[in-house]
Amino acid sequence: MSEQDVKNEEKKLAAEKAVEFIKDGMIVGLGSGTTVYFAIKKIGSLVREGLNIIAVSTSVITTELAQSEGINLISLDEAEEIDVTIDGADEVEKNSLNGIKGGGGALLYEKIVALSSKKNIWIVDSGKLVDVLGRYPLPVEVIPFGCKRVFKILKERKLDPVIRKNGNSDYKTDSDNYIFDLHTGEIPDVKKLNDEIKLISGVVETGLFIGIADTVIVAREGSTEVLEKKQ
Ligand code: 5RP
């Protein structure tokens, strides 16, 4: 088995474990990314077997996949509150369960859906668990108007921003914004950094998800470990 196959096995394992939390009648938030892909496939097969749920999507890609799986979707405003959201993450701090998300560019909708959810479950492979966040570049979504100014401020603050690319073009989110990936190094105080970045006019959202995950399902060598947020 290639390293990629092993990773995909881990992602599938964590995803299918998370789907066990979904019960008939629930409104389910669907995150985005290659790990959530396996959860959506599993939910699709359960729906075809009779599971009765409605879902809220966090990206165009997830919407297309969910529709192709026959999962009924409604908008977040129609849902008001979501029972459980399943999402991936790029990095998760072992103790706090704070995380960095947005590697797939869907951080804005993912955060809004997460904040509208009674329970948030993240599914990750073991390589994403860290003691301190900051190894993974921190995505920040920025509106196009005046974005050079935002870039300059982030650079002056030694946050080493890099504009995300999609081939030769600048990457655009589902809201037509840019993503700046910040090379912060270890983040000792996530709340302070998040507040500082969000105060810059033009920043829409950061990929720091603080106190949001309730449960993190970590797949490691054929088994899963379930981490719960400390109260
Ligand atoms: C997308 C995300 C994803 O959840 C995150 O990037 C993890 O993706 P993957 O499961 O493909 O590793 O935040 O915006």
Side-chain angles (χ1 to χ4, degrees):
M1 237 195 210
S2 71
E3 205 175 305
Q4 194 53 48
D5 288 341
V6 173
K7 243 191 180 147
N8 281 339
E9 275 304 310
E10 288 199 340
K11 288 178 181 185
K12 189 161 180 269
L13 202 64
E16 294 189 350
K17 180 82 187 159
V19 172
E20 290 175 15
F21 285 81
I22 297 176
K23 305 287 174 240
D24 229 39
M26 280 186 167
I27 299 183
V28 178
L30 300 176
S32 301
T34 57
T35 315
V36 166
Y37 166 88
F38 291 106
I40 297 172
K41 294 295 275 187
K42 180 70 185 173
I43 295 167
S45 73
L46 293 174
V47 164
R48 287 189 292 280
E49 285 167 18
L51 177 72
N52 176 29
I53 56 122
I54 305 173
V56 173
S57 169
T58 55
S59 64
V60 171
I61 291 178
T62 287
T63 297
E64 287 169 358
L65 178 61
Q67 282 171 340
S68 74
E69 288 293 319
I71 300 169
N72 283 329
L73 293 173
I74 54 172
S75 71
L76 178 57
D77 290 327
E78 285 168 312
E80 281 179 30
E81 194 172 45
I82 295 170
D83 292 298
V84 61
T85 288
I86 299 177
D87 205 346
D90 299 300
E91 202 170 71
V92 180
E93 208 168 68
K94 282 176 204 160
N95 275 327
S96 63
L97 303 191
N98 292 333
I100 289 180
K101 286 181 47 54
L107 64 133
L108 176 59
Y109 294 178
E110 288 173 338
K111 198 178 271 190
I112 296 171
V113 167
L115 292 171
S116 310
S117 303
K118 286 191 244 174
K119 182 176 178 67
N120 283 288
I121 304 174
W122 287 355
I123 45 182
V124 295
D125 61 72
S126 54
K128 290 178 171 176
L129 277 190
V130 295
D131 292 322
V132 182
L133 293 177
R135 192 177 55 195
Y136 194 90
L138 172 64
V140 174
E141 183 156 347
V142 178
I143 63 163
F145 186 82
C147 67
K148 279 196 178 163
R149 174 183 162 274
V150 176
F151 191 90
K152 193 164 158 263
I153 294 171
L154 293 168
K155 205 164 174 186
E156 280 165 5
R157 293 189 189 170
K158 309 261 179 297
L159 293 170
D160 196 6
V162 172
I163 183 155
R164 191 177 294 183
K165 293 284 181 188
N166 183 10
N168 289 328
S169 314
D170 293 334
Y171 176 88
K172 285 290 195 85
T173 67
D174 286 346
S175 298
D176 261 343
N177 294 321
Y178 295 124
I179 300 266
F180 294 163
D181 290 302
L182 309 187
H183 297 78
T184 57
E186 284 195 356
I187 306 172
D189 188 338
V190 283
K191 188 172 179 318
K192 183 164 173 274
L193 182 65
N194 189 55
D195 291 349
E196 282 169 5
I197 297 170
K198 285 200 74 171
L199 276 174
I200 306 169
S201 294
V203 168
V204 182
E205 195 46 272
T206 84
L208 280 171
F209 281 52
I210 304 168
I212 287 181
D214 300 291
T215 301
V216 177
I217 300 177
V218 187
R220 184 184 288 113
E221 291 165 8
S223 67
T224 52
E225 185 186 358
V226 179
L227 307 178
E228 297 288 353
K229 181 160 79 178
K230 295 184 181 99
Q231 294 311 317

